[in-house]
Amino acid sequence: MEDDVSFLPPDRKKYPDMEKYFVQKWRMFSRFDEGIRLDRESWFSVTPEAIALHTARRTKQLCPNARVILDAFSGAGGNAIAFAQYFDRVISFDLDLNKIKLSQNNAKIYGVQHKIEYVNTNFIEQLRNGHLKADIVFLSPPWGGPAYQQWPTFDLRNMVIDGMDGIELFERVSGEMPRSCSAA
């Protein structure tokens, strides 16, 4: 896989800026040493496992009748894997076929690959076309990488994906929420 830096110890001379992520590998995936694969971007964009599990558990509590959840920007699969532990089916969207391959590998390690359907597509395009078929749509869009931490505040209007800013994205998806789901 291109630019794969998942096998440690990495060449620290080649990736000195990644050291702070490498030391957190078990925070990202508790089963990291069983063959988890991440590309360079995934090291700083995957949701840490404890947070992903908390999000999945809380989402299921808020929407107990939901069976299908769509992970709109799935990446290496941190959230999709957690959702698969609480929901019958996860639809995992990503534009990057390499990220889908990483996620498939990682889901297999957690034994949930049979519950995740991978779709190599543009979520924004599907949203605009009204082609979303799920009880819940989960959004963890690309925030801009480590550089966003240097901004005094994070403005959703500056997060533009395929011509749609973050405010419009969240508003459009929240309008799609089923009435049976609590927002509390």
Side-chain angles (χ1 to χ4, degrees), residues 92-130:
S92 176
F93 280 23
D94 208 284
L95 264 175
D96 184 341
L97 187 56
N98 188 54
K99 295 279 193 291
I100 289 174
K101 290 176 184 178
L102 294 171
S103 184
Q104 288 171 325
N105 173 80
N106 298 342
K108 189 173 184 178
I109 290 167
Y110 281 83
V112 296
Q113 71 278 11
H114 62 286
K115 295 178 80 175
I116 304 174
E117 172 189 346
Y118 293 94
V119 184
N120 183 209
T121 192
N122 181 330
F123 171 74
I124 301 294
E125 191 175 291
Q126 299 302 315
L127 178 62
R128 286 185 177 126
N129 294 334

Side-chain angles (χ1 to χ4, degrees), residues 46-58:
V46 72
T47 302
E49 186 173 324
I51 295 170
L53 286 169
H54 175 78
T55 300
R57 185 173 37 255
R58 187 72 178 127

Side-chain angles (χ1 to χ4, degrees), residues 112-159:
V112 296
Q113 71 278 11
H114 62 286
K115 295 178 80 175
I116 304 174
E117 172 189 346
Y118 293 94
V119 184
N120 183 209
T121 192
N122 181 330
F123 171 74
I124 301 294
E125 191 175 291
Q126 299 302 315
L127 178 62
R128 286 185 177 126
N129 294 334
H131 294 146
L132 303 180
K133 305 287 185 224
D135 299 320
I136 299 169
V137 175
F138 174 76
L139 297 174
S140 183
W143 301 103
Y148 87 89
Q149 297 174 15
Q150 298 169 11
W151 304 334
T153 58
F154 184 80
D155 188 338
L156 286 173
R157 291 173 293 221
N158 294 331
M159 183 186 73

